[in-house]
Amino acid sequence: MFMEERHQEIAGIIKTNGKITIAEITDRYRISDESARRDLRLLEQRGVCKRTHGGAILVSQVNVRPPVDREFDSMPAYANYREISRAAASMIQENDTVYLTSGSIGYIMLSFLPRDIRYTLVVNSADIGKELRDFDNIEVYLTGGKMRQSGSFVDSLANEFVSRLHFDLCFITGSGLTADFGLSNGTDETAAFQRTVIKNCRKRCLLIPGVKVGVNSFVKVCDAEVFDSVITDWDCMADQITALEERGVAVTAVGEPE
């Protein structure tokens, strides 16, 4: 097979699956790791993908739409989301007041929340709020406001609610993160709500899968260095981790489960 034909096939796999690993390329085409990395470097130069430590991911389009119904009950819990959620939940301490993201990671975190200490959660998701009724060790506050199709609340009423609160710890998610542009999201409404939470919080933690690091979405939320810590995964690009750490952000890249 000619190199250009291989590149076309690799590009097709990335477009279909959203990513590819070095191991997949070497196994499929019987080439060395060095050749596989060269292929991905050339494809990155053509704008096909972004390289990660173990392979490459699809270059995402700028997201300008709010999330639709997430179907949390039937949503697959990907391994990287679970490991990020596990690491985040371990940060909660007794008597903390915590803002928990309405994103899918927030829902997955429910499985890992501490059950043996007392603390307070503030949530802006009807679905997450419903699940928290079974936690007798947690005081739960729901922001209210106009509910999106996704079940979340980020409008001016929700913003006003959180503007009156102070948090020990907040877990924020987003559509993209780069060291230069910072955290970004798909709508200004979401960004404004998140800015209010972040402003009123003592310890700020960003939870973001590796495929979204190195990506800029539509609306900037804040600079990267606003966060005390970032929890991402094994697919995160090493150069982005280095760039974030140079800005004083503590980055944890969770390992892939065996």
Side-chain angles (χ1 to χ4, degrees):
M1 176 182 288
F2 292 113
M3 185 173 66
E4 183 58 34
E5 292 176 311
R6 186 170 72 241
H7 287 179
Q8 290 177 359
E9 284 195 8
I10 293 172
I13 293 170
I14 295 173
K15 184 176 181 181
T16 300
N17 299 334
K19 66 178 184 177
I20 196 169
T21 65
I22 295 295
E24 287 175 301
I25 297 173
T26 57
D27 289 345
R28 185 182 183 98
Y29 301 105
R30 304 301 179 189
I31 60 176
S32 66
D33 283 9
E34 182 180 349
S35 295
R37 294 184 189 281
R38 180 197 60 204
D39 287 350
L40 294 180
R41 184 173 64 252
L42 293 171
L43 288 172
E44 183 180 50
Q45 290 172 357
R46 288 161 47 184
V48 172
C49 62
K50 280 185 173 291
R51 287 180 295 159
T52 67
H53 177 71
I57 58 174
L58 184 67
V59 177
S60 301
Q61 288 182 301
V62 173
N63 177 22
V64 295
R65 295 181 298 174
V68 296
D69 188 354
R70 291 190 178 97
E71 298 283 349
F72 279 136
D73 290 339
S74 59
M75 177 186 67
Y78 297 112
N80 58 334
Y81 279 58
R82 286 185 60 82
E83 295 310 308
I84 290 171
S85 299
R86 189 195 310 273
S90 69
M91 296 175 63
I92 299 174
Q93 299 180 0
E94 188 164 14
N95 297 321
D96 272 349
T97 297
V98 181
Y99 166 76
L100 179 62
T101 173
S102 63
S104 53
I105 286 180
Y107 189 85
I108 295 170
M109 276 183 67
L110 296 176
S111 299
F112 302 105
L113 290 177
R115 303 295 294 259
D116 58 344
I117 58 174
R118 301 197 66 83
Y119 51 99
T120 299
L121 285 184
V122 178
V123 298
N124 63 313
S125 164
D127 296 295
I128 293 176
K130 179 181 178 182
E131 295 297 322
L132 285 169
R133 291 184 301 177
D134 295 330
F135 290 72
D136 58 9
N137 64 311
I138 304 175
E139 295 286 343
V140 180
Y141 288 82
L142 191 63
T143 63
K146 181 181 179 181
M147 187 174 70
R148 283 179 166 177
Q149 188 179 358
S150 64
S152 64
F153 307 93
V154 293
D155 69 348
S156 60
L157 295 174
N159 202 332
E160 173 65 18
F161 184 92
V162 294
S163 72
R164 298 173 181 267
L165 305 178
H166 183 78
F167 307 99
D168 295 300
L169 174 64
C170 65
F171 295 112
I172 303 292
T173 52
S175 299
L177 172 69
T178 60
D180 291 335
F181 191 62
L183 175 66
S184 51
N185 240 317
T187 69
D188 184 59
E189 197 174 44
T190 299
F193 176 84
Q194 290 181 322
R195 287 188 207 107
T196 301
V197 172
I198 291 167
K199 178 183 176 183
N200 291 356
C201 190
R202 182 168 58 87
K203 292 172 60 179
R204 303 147 178 172
C205 180
L206 176 63
L207 312 178
I208 189 161
V211 295
K212 295 182 179 181
V213 181
V215 174
N216 290 324
S217 192
F218 186 49
V219 181
K220 178 173 180 174
V221 178
C222 63
D223 291 333
E225 52 265 41
V226 165
F227 292 98
D228 302 288
S229 59
V230 171
I231 303 178
T232 184
D233 60 56
W234 54 90
D235 272 334
C236 189
M237 291 178 285
D239 61 337
Q240 283 293 322
I241 292 178
T242 299
L244 289 167
E245 290 177 336
E246 287 175 349
R247 292 174 181 262
V249 183
V251 181
T252 298
V254 297
E256 191 169 6
E258 297 181 358

